[in-house]
Amino acid sequence: MSAPLSSSALAERLLDERDLGESYVRQPQRAERHDDVSVIGCPTLEELDGKAAVGGSLDFSHSAKVSFTYVGDGGSQVSEELYSDTETRLSKGVARIFEAMNSCPTYQVLGGSTSVTVTAQKALAAQLGDEQWSQLLTFSSGGRSSIVKQTAVRTGTVVVVVAGSPGLVDAHLAKAVGKVRRTR
């Protein structure tokens, strides 16, 4: 069993423009604000706290994150998050979040004065690591909806989470996991 990696070591393992290709533009990291987020209609998620329901960062010792826009497809987004902790803590923590998000087929997320209906559905995940989880989330608000795929793969003491447009997640997940493994 290897030791958890530091946040700076994780940052070196994130995908970059060279890994993805010239059609991708890195997005500046924004400060996450999930202070006023609440969940209605899903007791399991309500217990966890609203951050988990809207893609807030997972609570592990070390992390790194990057986001990209694919300019060739009307601005589709893909993001990658890396987390490191003990294998047991990663396994239990990620499974708990994914199970909670899929425990209710539909729930409401309230952020300030905005209400979003979220529909969660388990998805198949490629067998790329020690454990894997995947889901499709449909976010609906004001007559518009968007679908986001979120897939997590644990390989040793690192969890790779790739989220965004389903096609982009499928296209880049193996690259993300491979980069984590190659640079250990």
Side-chain angles (χ1 to χ4, degrees), residues 25-107:
V25 176
R26 181 181 284 229
Q27 299 302 303
Q29 290 299 316
R30 293 181 289 217
E32 289 191 20
R33 297 190 44 175
H34 300 291
D35 298 339
D36 63 345
V37 173
S38 59
V39 176
I40 297 172
C42 188
T44 310
L45 267 178
E46 291 171 31
E47 290 174 17
L48 282 180
D49 150 4
K51 292 187 296 189
V54 294
S57 293
L58 301 176
D59 186 27
F60 295 115
S61 299
H62 307 285
S63 64
K65 182 176 182 175
V66 66
S67 298
F68 296 93
T69 298
Y70 179 62
V71 295
D73 185 24
S76 294
Q77 306 264 326
V78 65
S79 67
E80 178 190 21
E81 298 174 47
L82 300 178
Y83 298 96
S84 190
D85 210 315
T86 66
E87 292 177 9
T88 301
R89 189 153 191 251
L90 289 172
S91 180
K92 287 181 180 178
V94 175
R96 184 172 161 235
I97 297 288
F98 273 76
E99 287 169 13
M101 291 181 78
N102 284 283
S103 67
C104 305
T106 302
Y107 52 91

Side-chain angles (χ1 to χ4, degrees), residues 22-23 63 65 76 88 93-94 116 128 141 150 153 172:
E22 62 185 44
S23 297
S63 64
K65 182 176 182 175
S76 294
T88 301
V94 175
V116 178
L128 295 171
S141 180
Q150 183 179 45
V153 175
H172 300 299

Side-chain angles (χ1 to χ4, degrees), residues 132-151:
Q132 47 277 321
W133 304 264
S134 190
Q135 61 191 356
L136 289 173
L137 302 169
T138 303
F139 297 92
S140 302
S141 180
R144 299 181 65 179
S145 64
S146 62
I147 297 174
V148 172
K149 186 170 189 176
Q150 183 179 45
T151 301

Side-chain angles (χ1 to χ4, degrees), residues 114-183:
T114 304
S115 173
V116 178
T117 299
V118 180
T119 304
Q121 175 184 345
K122 285 184 182 180
L124 292 176
Q127 303 289 314
L128 295 171
D130 301 314
E131 294 180 277
Q132 47 277 321
W133 304 264
S134 190
Q135 61 191 356
L136 289 173
L137 302 169
T138 303
F139 297 92
S140 302
S141 180
R144 299 181 65 179
S145 64
S146 62
I147 297 174
V148 172
K149 186 170 189 176
Q150 183 179 45
T151 301
V153 175
R154 183 183 66 78
T155 178
T157 59
V158 176
V159 166
V160 178
V161 180
V162 180
S165 168
L168 296 181
V169 171
D170 292 344
H172 300 299
L173 181 64
K175 271 185 240 170
V177 173
K179 190 166 183 179
V180 165
R181 285 183 170 158
R182 276 193 312 278
T183 52

